[in-house]
Amino acid sequence: MKKELIKVQQGLHLTEQEMMAASEAMFDERTNNETIKTFLIALKEKGETADEIVGLVKVVRKHAMQINSPLQNVMDNCGTGGDGSQSFNISTCSAFVIAGANVPIAKHGNRSISSKTGSADVLEHLGVRLDFTAEEVSNLLKKNNIAFLFAPHVHPGIRKVMAARKELGVPTIFNLIGPLTNPVELDTQLVGIYRRDMLHTMAEALVRLGRRKGVVISGAGHMDEASLEGENHLAVVEDGQIHSVILKPEDVGLTAVSNEKIRGGGPLDNARILKSVLSGEASVYRDTVLLNAGIALFAHGSASSIAEGIEAAKESIDSQSALNRLNDLVHYSNQKELAQ
């Protein structure tokens, strides 16, 4: 990757093909950690482009678990994390609401990085296994509309690069691409990102990766989720085009609330919050999930507007369809446990 490294150090952008070559080198055992770290820092200082993001994503997915989904309209609602908000597991809770609205969702996630509790932490506490095989993921999507893909499990080849990232200890391009590396072939997607300066770049990446429709969102307070606190900045992708939207909670009939009100805690606390929302309990947590699930259903195209998506999200919760999706995923995990 010497040629690509020199180019980046000169402040020049890489083409998608050049980034793919550099990414393959990062996966190569012969490439030392110092070279990888130097390359990642040079990229960070230069500023990452859509070409570079797409090139890296394609290589990461090439080395990931290969999953053949039986469905054509699968989505994900994973965010980049890193916003430091300490919020409860909004996207994880929203995923069950999305599934309960009859939209198949391959929920990609990890353990906590910048928060107290990551999606894997809370789901594991609830009894969901983190080691589903490719066949089990396909079966769950078909039968239950939701499967959880634990990032370290479905991306075993990335361990070498993770060592270099850990040594660096600062955010790099890998902190941007997580939501885009889902091994399932996605049709649509909701991506949350706290870095508002990368909003349009991430939307360009969605277009380049073939998403039919999608939304990239940077929430009020620079959360990587939609927030009730104020203005949410959205980049909406549809048919290869990108347009910007600013959405406030009042625009869709919700009340503005400070982000302080949606703080979470450890796995036990966040599991309690998640189950309270899916059980229909009225709260600021529920309203936050309704907003995020509503945007996701709009991003998927199953709702023609965010307001319509919120109504579908309410029905998913109030009919207990969302809760059933969680219970069935836990039951499937228990059966897997018993079979071993």
Side-chain angles (χ1 to χ4, degrees):
M1 61 192 296
K2 184 177 180 181
K3 179 177 66 174
E4 292 81 14
L5 175 57
I6 291 172
K7 186 172 179 178
V8 172
Q9 287 177 323
Q10 292 173 340
L12 302 174
H13 300 317
L14 300 181
T15 65
E16 180 184 319
Q17 290 70 31
E18 288 171 331
M19 188 64 189
M20 289 180 72
S23 302
E24 288 287 6
M26 283 193 282
F27 276 85
D28 193 320
E29 291 295 332
R30 295 170 294 181
T31 305
N32 63 58
N33 277 7
E34 289 306 312
T35 301
I36 295 172
K37 289 191 291 184
T38 302
F39 179 70
L40 292 176
I41 289 298
L43 266 182
K44 178 184 176 68
E45 291 176 347
K46 175 186 70 66
E48 301 89 345
T49 66
D51 273 340
E52 291 158 352
I53 289 170
V54 170
L56 177 56
V57 166
K58 286 185 175 180
V59 171
V60 171
R61 293 188 74 246
K62 173 186 169 185
H63 289 271
M65 176 189 288
Q66 299 302 300
I67 301 171
N68 296 314
S69 170
L71 306 173
Q72 300 299 314
N73 60 342
V74 181
M75 77 172 302
D76 190 8
N77 70 332
C78 182
T80 62
D83 63 12
S85 67
Q86 303 297 318
S87 62
F88 75 104
N89 300 100
I90 299 168
S91 65
T92 306
C93 189
S94 299
F96 292 104
V97 179
I98 295 163
N102 205 32
V103 170
I105 181 162
K107 181 70 181 87
H108 199 213
N110 209 335
R111 294 197 184 278
S112 61
I113 297 173
S114 61
S115 62
K116 292 181 181 178
T117 306
S119 56
D121 301 306
V122 70
L123 290 176
E124 189 175 49
H125 184 82
L126 288 164
V128 175
R129 291 187 65 101
L130 307 181
D131 60 350
F132 294 124
T133 66
E135 183 180 2
E136 287 168 337
V137 169
S138 294
N139 287 339
L140 282 165
L141 287 173
K142 187 176 181 179
K143 296 176 181 178
N144 197 42
N145 275 338
I146 186 167
F148 181 66
L149 288 79
F150 180 42
H153 177 63
V154 298
H155 297 289
I158 211 167
R159 290 192 185 107
K160 181 180 185 299
V161 182
M162 287 296 293
R165 290 178 61 199
K166 189 173 182 179
E167 289 175 19
L168 277 176
V170 297
T172 67
I173 190 171
F174 280 93
N175 295 85
L176 296 173
I177 67 163
L180 305 178
T181 62
N182 195 315
V184 174
E185 200 64 49
L186 303 176
D187 182 49
T188 57
Q189 192 163 7
L190 171 64
V191 177
I193 182 168
Y194 74 95
R195 281 187 58 185
R196 197 159 293 168
D197 62 306
M198 294 296 290
L199 195 66
H200 196 273
T201 301
M202 289 292 278
E204 285 183 46
L206 285 186
V207 172
R208 296 276 301 281
L209 290 167
R211 303 295 187 265
R212 173 179 59 81
K213 192 171 181 181
V215 172
V216 183
I217 184 163
S218 180
H222 293 272
M223 287 185 65
D224 74 328
E225 315 272 4
S227 163
L228 297 173
E229 187 170 84
E231 290 187 348
N232 297 282
H233 292 246
L234 283 64
V236 179
V237 172
E238 189 165 17
D239 298 327
Q241 302 299 310
I242 303 168
H243 68 274
S244 300
V245 174
I246 293 179
L247 178 74
K248 294 182 287 187
E250 298 91 341
D251 297 336
V252 286
L254 296 172
T255 303
V257 178
S258 166
N259 287 339
E260 293 288 324
K261 301 294 186 182
I262 57 168
R263 283 181 175 268
L268 177 63
D269 296 321
N270 284 14
R272 178 187 56 78
I273 293 169
L274 187 150
K275 292 202 78 171
S276 75
V277 171
L278 298 187
S279 297
E281 184 178 316
S283 66
V284 65
Y285 303 118
R286 172 188 164 101
D287 286 351
T288 301
V289 168
L290 290 176
L291 178 59
N292 280 273
I295 294 171
L297 294 172
F298 167 70
H300 180 263
S302 57
S304 61
S305 67
I306 294 171
E308 184 180 302
I310 289 172
E311 290 305 311
K314 289 178 182 177
E315 173 61 22
S316 174
I317 293 172
D318 294 341
S319 67
Q320 295 197 319
S321 180
L323 181 60
N324 289 339
R325 301 287 71 74
L326 170 62
N327 290 338
D328 287 352
L329 187 59
V330 171
H331 177 72
Y332 193 98
S333 295
N334 289 340
Q335 294 300 111
K336 179 181 171 76
E337 182 83 35
L338 291 171
Q340 291 184 339

